[in-house]
Amino acid sequence: MLERDYFGLTYKDSDNQKVCLSVFLSVFLSVRVSWNFSFNVKFYPPDPVQLSEDLTRYFLCLQLREDIVSGRLPCSLATHIVLGSYTVQSELGDHDPDELGCDYVSELSFAPSQNKEMEERIVDLHKTYKGMTPAVAELHFLEIAKKLSMYGVDLHHAKDSEGVCIMLGVCNSGLLVYRDRLRINRFAWPHILKISYKRNNFYIKIRPGEFDQFESTIGFKLHNHRAAKRLWKVCVEHHAFFRLLSPEEPPKKFALGSKFRYSGRTQIQSRRASSQIARQAPYFLRLSSKRYTMSRSLDGGTSTGTMPLMQTLSTNRNVCANTETPLEGVLMSSQTITAETANTTTTTHITKTVRGGISETRIEKRIVISGDTDIDHDQVPVSQAILEARQQHPELSVTKVTVHKETEVSSEHPLP
């Protein structure tokens, strides 16, 4: 997996809280209690469609399915049904009662409280997806999941200044405050000047508003010192990944304060690297979901159950080595990008297809170079146009040059 900046290894600490493995220390120094690692999404992308590879989107889908089944990502009944139907299409393909049987949906897991009515409505939707590829089904799944209110929110138990129990959520846009499962406040990253912790207290310094003269500091009380430090680290990493162009330089050797900094690539750097991926789309085996008894709600209550999807996947070392053979001539994805300058319009059309078990990526670029002077169609400087196109994209070959002459319409007519 090349787009690995969104993922990380996690383990449970002595407080039974999920902690991401530190990249600064060795495994022996980082982990003191548990040796059970799981592969999880660390940074949830705001727009999963911008991920370049289907493999990355599939791993994100696995994490979201686990979040939904465990209750960390609450959904309405209608959303459970739609997401469940796309999950069935991705894992089992087209509806075929002769091959799948009658109760094939009941063997999969879609929600914490799954019932027969939900499964029947999922089957009804699944029947309408004939011909939809797994990659397309996962794209539809992500388009809906990213709009859920708790998408990508990392929750932490805390208390406000009055001692009321609340939950602090860290996400790509900032810090969220929940009380009784309702969001009561939101602090966007641009409005936060400073984050800090002292003992078991966590502080944020807020930029003054339009009618405020001074900065304000808001404090929250966490369970202990480790919980406050954990929340502070999560905020530092999320702010750096989603807001900075590049990670901050590590502090000097004798600098005061914590030396912890986010050291990975930021989202901007990751997207830039993803745009340069030139390999063929890798084949991988999509695993089937299992029924779960595990449930975790917004207030943090948990009950035991089977191993989560992402953790199960991480223990299968050959998951990306296995292959599946899609149908011949199947269009996996299609994307069109248009860029314009003062005198040039570049249209890039990227298609990924599978023919005879071989993945084919075709990139077509159309470069339109316009000018203000009249063009003599008998004496067109074709060589100059080819040279300019090759200079802009040396990795491509110019197969056709077409010259169009357009007459500019008078602009004296007033606009309505």
Side-chain angles (χ1 to χ4, degrees):
M1 185 173 61
L2 299 182
E3 297 174 290
R4 51 183 175 268
D5 302 289
Y6 298 93
F7 303 87
L9 289 177
T10 60
Y11 64 94
K12 293 293 185 66
D13 63 4
S14 58
D15 298 326
N16 200 31
Q17 297 295 319
K18 186 173 68 175
V19 180
C20 191
L21 186 67
S22 175
V23 298
F24 295 102
L25 304 176
S26 66
V27 174
F28 298 99
L29 293 177
S30 297
V31 183
R32 300 178 181 179
V33 178
S34 175
W35 290 96
N36 296 319
F37 296 97
S38 62
F39 180 71
N40 297 96
V41 174
K42 184 176 181 180
F43 303 113
Y44 288 75
D47 189 5
V49 178
Q50 295 186 1
L51 298 173
S52 296
E53 294 196 319
D54 295 335
L55 177 62
T56 314
R57 284 188 285 267
Y58 173 64
F59 275 102
L60 179 58
C61 281
L62 288 183
Q63 179 69 72
L64 290 172
R65 292 173 194 170
E66 180 192 336
D67 293 344
I68 292 172
V69 171
S70 64
R72 291 191 297 267
L73 185 57
C75 304
S76 64
L77 175 61
T79 303
H80 275 305
I81 293 171
V82 176
L83 293 178
S85 64
Y86 286 128
T87 298
V88 175
Q89 182 68 23
S90 172
E91 296 187 356
L92 303 181
D94 293 342
H95 175 75
D96 188 351
D98 296 333
E99 179 180 351
L100 300 177
C102 299
D103 297 330
Y104 66 96
V105 173
S106 59
E107 299 175 357
L108 304 178
S109 183
F110 309 104
S113 55
Q114 189 168 321
N115 54 47
K116 197 65 177 179
E117 179 187 359
M118 179 188 297
E119 295 172 358
E120 292 175 355
R121 295 176 64 178
I122 288 175
V123 172
D124 293 338
L125 277 180
H126 181 214
K127 294 177 181 179
T128 64
Y129 297 154
K130 188 174 183 180
M132 182 182 296
T133 63
V136 174
E138 288 159 4
L139 278 174
H140 289 304
F141 181 96
L142 294 174
E143 277 293 315
I144 297 175
K146 74 177 185 180
K147 299 175 183 178
L148 298 175
S149 60
M150 295 298 295
Y151 170 80
V153 179
D154 188 355
L155 292 173
H156 300 257
H157 290 277
K159 292 183 179 180
D160 61 12
S161 58
E162 299 177 354
V164 179
C165 292
I166 59 173
M167 298 286 286
L168 297 178
V170 186
C171 63
N172 64 81
S173 61
L175 185 67
L176 312 176
V177 183
Y178 296 89
R179 180 190 297 172
D180 296 331
R181 305 194 180 198
L182 297 176
R183 195 182 78 182
I184 60 175
N185 212 337
R186 174 179 178 268
F187 303 99
W189 292 128
H191 298 160
I192 300 178
L193 294 175
K194 182 181 179 181
I195 53 178
S196 60
Y197 72 97
K198 184 176 181 181
R199 297 185 180 89
N200 64 330
N201 295 305
F202 175 77
Y203 302 99
I204 56 174
K205 182 178 289 187
I206 305 301
R207 190 185 304 275
E210 182 179 357
F211 303 102
D212 299 329
Q213 296 182 353
F214 306 101
E215 303 166 352
S216 59
T217 301
I218 303 176
F220 303 94
K221 188 178 292 294
L222 280 84
H223 178 64
N224 53 34
H225 169 78
R226 291 190 301 274
K229 184 176 182 180
R230 186 189 309 117
L231 174 59
W232 175 78
K233 283 187 174 182
V234 171
C235 289
V236 169
E237 291 179 328
H238 274 71
H239 175 266
F241 183 81
F242 290 108
R243 292 287 300 173
L244 301 184
L245 298 177
S246 59
E248 295 179 302
E249 293 292 332
K252 298 180 180 180
K253 187 174 181 180
F254 300 104
L256 298 177
S258 175
K259 295 181 175 57
F260 176 79
R261 296 292 186 275
Y262 174 70
S263 62
R265 291 190 300 191
T266 64
Q267 181 178 233
I268 294 178
Q269 293 175 323
S270 180
R271 286 178 177 176
R272 188 180 301 121
S274 299
S275 64
Q276 299 175 359
I277 296 178
R279 70 173 182 179
Q280 292 184 349
Y283 292 129
F284 55 94
L285 178 65
R286 286 175 168 85
L287 301 181
S288 179
S289 301
K290 299 179 181 179
R291 294 303 297 263
Y292 297 94
T293 59
M294 180 180 62
S295 176
R296 178 173 180 176
S297 61
L298 184 61
D299 57 7
T302 59
S303 59
T304 59
T306 57
M307 187 177 293
L309 280 172
M310 292 294 285
Q311 189 169 350
T312 303
L313 187 60
S314 66
T315 59
N316 187 349
R317 296 172 60 89
N318 298 322
V319 63
C320 293
N322 292 284
T323 62
E324 60 178 359
T325 305
L327 297 176
E328 185 172 355
V330 176
L331 177 63
M332 304 300 291
S333 63
S334 178
Q335 185 179 13
T336 301
I337 304 173
T338 302
E340 297 183 359
T341 61
N343 61 348
T344 303
T345 302
T346 304
T347 304
T348 305
H349 187 60
I350 306 173
T351 56
K352 294 183 180 180
T353 57
V354 175
R355 304 178 187 275
I358 300 176
S359 177
E360 174 184 301
T361 302
R362 181 178 180 86
I363 304 177
E364 297 181 2
K365 278 186 179 288
R366 184 187 181 199
I367 304 173
V368 179
I369 305 173
S370 59
D372 297 331
T373 58
D374 293 336
I375 299 177
D376 187 349
H377 286 73
D378 296 329
Q379 300 180 359
V380 176
V382 178
S383 59
Q384 180 180 356
I386 294 176
L387 178 61
E388 186 170 348
R390 284 177 174 171
Q391 289 176 349
Q392 294 180 11
H393 303 275
E395 75 281 3
L396 301 179
S397 59
V398 180
T399 59
K400 183 179 180 181
V401 176
T402 305
V403 179
H404 297 279
K405 182 177 181 180
E406 298 181 356
T407 304
E408 184 177 357
V409 181
S410 174
S411 59
E412 295 180 354
H413 182 73
L415 297 176

